[in-house]
Amino acid sequence: MKKFILIVALALVCLANATAFDGGWVLNMKANVGGSLTIPSISDSDLAYLGASKMEGTLGFVPAGKAEVGYIFDSARWFHLPDDHIFSGVGAFGYIGVGEGFAGQISGKEVGGEDVNVYMNIHYTPVISLGATGKAYFFDNRLAVGLSVGMKMIADTTPEYEMYADKEVEGLESQVGTIIVDDWMMKNMNPLMASFDLLLEYNIPILPTMELILGGYTQFSIFKPKYITMPPKLAELAVGDAEKQFKDGKRSEPLDLRKPIDSYFINSFDFGLTIALGFKL
């Protein structure tokens, strides 16, 4: 055991003294693991139209992978700074990624004179991401701070869901299942979202042409689906309840789930850790 600890310590010392990439073309293969907090937003009038009293978000788990290719402009060569300057370069990258998506919501509704919270978690895979990243490098390209702007597309036509309520209500029994995205949904629902990332990375040289990258990221995504998506049982219950209220004169119109809800957004705040391998091309 002592020999193993000594070997690890010596390896870390050697890595600490190794030289990071000084510039040029780089390929990074990344794995991101973290959480996703759904941040739903909707107007009071549209919330009332759906028959709900509130809408809140929940936290989920979202892994993803990215391939990132770019060029690092060395500060000594391109900006004529001394080799020992704290600022060591600028990187411009493009990326493509594949991962999972999560949308978690808590909807409040009055049933039989008491408030009921309905929990809905939707998982969709794959989510394809594309974008561009700019990075500032410091301390001989060891530390990088970056900002990404990109787009994500939901490509799952059979997202899985979990639904349950905090009180026993007929029609709101706990269930898991699949939401089938039909032809009408494919033609009308918006699958695209804009994303903005802030990242921090530390590059550990392993070989002259390979680095280990450790870091963290935060991401804010803006998503306007245009329509509300519900499991069949919940949709049937919501439409039936709205129809009854309409006949009783408590609503001005029935509920149509194919009516656009322009104020509805399912934004998300993602955060987590990154581990990657970087290769000098």
Side-chain angles (χ1 to χ4, degrees), residues 47-113:
L47 194 63
Y49 174 75
L50 295 172
S53 58
K54 71 173 183 180
M55 189 177 289
E56 299 174 349
T58 60
L59 185 65
F61 174 75
V62 284
K66 284 184 179 180
E68 181 182 70
V69 178
Y71 191 91
I72 300 176
F73 299 88
D74 181 73
S75 64
R77 176 184 176 187
W78 295 92
F79 304 105
H80 307 294
L81 296 176
D83 290 335
D84 59 352
H85 199 280
I86 187 174
F87 172 67
S88 55
V90 173
F93 294 84
Y95 69 82
I96 182 171
V98 178
E100 294 186 8
F102 170 81
Q105 295 184 139
I106 306 172
S107 299
K109 183 177 179 62
E110 184 177 321
V111 180

Side-chain angles (χ1 to χ4, degrees), residues 15-76:
L15 290 176
N17 293 324
T19 302
F21 296 164
D22 57 357
W25 289 99
V26 176
L27 168 66
N28 297 327
M29 303 299 293
K30 294 185 170 183
N32 294 336
V33 178
S36 178
L37 175 63
T38 304
I39 309 174
S41 175
I42 190 170
S43 68
D44 292 339
S45 59
D46 285 334
L47 194 63
Y49 174 75
L50 295 172
S53 58
K54 71 173 183 180
M55 189 177 289
E56 299 174 349
T58 60
L59 185 65
F61 174 75
V62 284
K66 284 184 179 180
E68 181 182 70
V69 178
Y71 191 91
I72 300 176
F73 299 88
D74 181 73
S75 64

Side-chain angles (χ1 to χ4, degrees), residues 193-206:
M193 62 184 81
S195 63
F196 307 89
D197 298 52
L198 180 64
L199 54 91
L200 180 68
E201 297 174 347
Y202 187 74
N203 304 314
I204 304 172
I206 298 176

Side-chain angles (χ1 to χ4, degrees), residues 141-156:
N141 289 3
R142 288 297 190 88
L143 182 68
V145 179
L147 179 65
S148 297
V149 178
M151 175 190 72
K152 297 197 293 187
M153 181 178 71
I154 301 172
D156 191 355

Side-chain angles (χ1 to χ4, degrees), residues 166-216:
D166 62 354
K167 295 182 175 66
E168 291 187 6
V169 177
E170 185 178 353
L172 290 179
E173 296 84 4
S174 300
Q175 58 180 281
V176 295
T178 300
I179 298 175
I180 303 299
V181 180
D182 57 27
D183 291 341
W184 183 89
M185 290 181 180
M186 288 185 182
K187 292 177 182 178
N188 292 275
M189 294 191 72
N190 174 33
L192 302 177
M193 62 184 81
S195 63
F196 307 89
D197 298 52
L198 180 64
L199 54 91
L200 180 68
E201 297 174 347
Y202 187 74
N203 304 314
I204 304 172
I206 298 176
L207 298 172
T209 57
M210 186 170 70
E211 292 181 336
L212 173 66
I213 302 171
L214 303 176

Side-chain angles (χ1 to χ4, degrees), residues 108-131:
K109 183 177 179 62
E110 184 177 321
V111 180
E114 61 178 351
D115 293 329
V116 178
N117 290 317
V118 179
Y119 295 79
M120 174 70 67
N121 296 323
I122 300 177
H123 305 268
Y124 35 87
T125 304
V127 176
I128 300 170
S129 59
L130 296 166

